[in-house]
Amino acid sequence: MDVAIAPVAELASIAADEIQKLLNRKPDAVIGLATGSSPLPIYDELARRHKEDGLSFAKAQGFQLDEYVGIDVNHPERYRNVIEKEIASRVDWPASQVHGPDGNAKDLSLACAQYDAAIKAAGGVDLQILGIGSDGHIAFNEPGTSFASRTHVGVLTEQTRVDNARFFDDDISKVPTLCLTQGLGTIMEARELVLIATGENKAEAIRQLVEGAVSARWPATIIQHHPNALILVDEAAASKLELADYYREKWAKRDLLG
Ligand code: GLP
């Protein structure tokens, strides 16, 4: 696991570099797309590189991490709409190549199985962008989720609904209670993980993710088992890391590490 501690603009640039390297080598790459506020600077940087340097997503496939259940198809917070607005429509990414689980499906379990199968059929995710919840969730895999889980129907914790109420008029009663989410097992199959977290509210989750014991209480700790994970944090999110200075030194020497 690599940890980069830097101002947010630099974090966005590091993540965009990884994505650009991937697309240069494999224009039809499969990219895993996260919602939430944390990845937005990455999407801004990718949109800038598309406009100014011609970075192209024309052949790429995109797969969302998760979706709310029962949210109106036109709701601005429906994750499919968020991804369209924040990244797909700002670059040359055909809508037909950006996929999300169907939170309005009649048979939600079937929709989950089909989504997992679609990721497999596309060849698996090459690079997965991730945020992290303050309770340690990734995608919507809340504490207690099986590390082997596949795309499934999940129940949001009270903490997640409180955190996400800001997107629903600050009214927790408007935040859906159910979601469809890629499972931890699904996410762990991505060839590269790039997780971004900013702000003090994420400091404990980041401490657990990087230095804590692997446990179902903090689902993101499973990332310790991933062979190619990059954790991007600002000073505030890194503020509880015991070995922050060591991670800084290691990051500064990354070119020597191969
Ligand atoms: C949401 C999403 C996650 C995201 C997390 C953090 O609930 N389902 O994919 O990583 O919460 O969101 P934010 O980046 O806005 O703090």
Side-chain angles (χ1 to χ4, degrees), residues 89-199:
S89 68
R90 299 167 74 192
V91 297
D92 57 346
W93 213 336
S96 60
Q97 287 163 219
V98 179
H99 317 273
D102 182 1
N104 290 305
K106 274 209 178 71
D107 185 337
L108 292 172
S109 300
L110 179 64
C112 290
Q114 286 171 337
Y115 195 64
D116 241 44
I119 295 173
K120 259 202 187 106
V125 173
D126 290 300
L127 184 152
Q128 177 64 59
I129 302 167
L130 291 168
I132 187 169
S134 65
D135 66 358
H137 73 239
I138 49 173
F140 268 138
N141 291 281
E142 297 285 26
T145 305
S146 163
F147 284 169
S149 54
R150 312 303 308 178
T151 301
H152 61 279
V153 187
V155 178
L156 303 184
T157 60
E158 171 92 5
Q159 181 64 57
T160 296
R161 295 181 66 236
V162 167
D163 288 347
N164 288 4
R166 69 189 193 282
F167 298 118
F168 292 86
D169 308 324
D170 281 321
D171 180 353
I172 188 175
S173 73
K174 292 186 181 167
V175 184
T177 57
L178 297 181
C179 62
L180 301 189
T181 179
Q182 283 192 35
L184 293 170
T186 317
I187 293 168
M188 287 293 284
E189 285 172 4
R191 294 174 190 96
E192 179 177 3
L193 304 181
V194 177
L195 183 145
I196 183 165
T198 52

Side-chain angles (χ1 to χ4, degrees), residues 35-38 65-66 79 131-132 137 139-140 160 164 166 202:
T35 49
S37 48
S38 312
L65 276 175
D66 46 13
Y79 283 167
I132 187 169
H137 73 239
F140 268 138
T160 296
N164 288 4
R166 69 189 193 282
K202 301 293 172 67

Side-chain angles (χ1 to χ4, degrees), residues 16-33 46 55-64 92-94 96-99 118-119 121-129 190-192:
D17 285 349
E18 287 301 299
I19 295 163
Q20 189 160 9
K21 262 191 286 173
L22 170 65
L23 286 169
N24 285 346
R25 158 176 112 238
K26 188 177 178 188
D28 60 347
V30 179
I31 300 175
L33 299 165
L46 292 173
L55 177 64
S56 176
F57 295 79
K59 294 185 176 158
Q61 297 281 329
F63 282 89
Q64 280 166 231
D92 57 346
W93 213 336
S96 60
Q97 287 163 219
V98 179
H99 317 273
I119 295 173
V125 173
D126 290 300
L127 184 152
Q128 177 64 59
I129 302 167
R191 294 174 190 96
E192 179 177 3

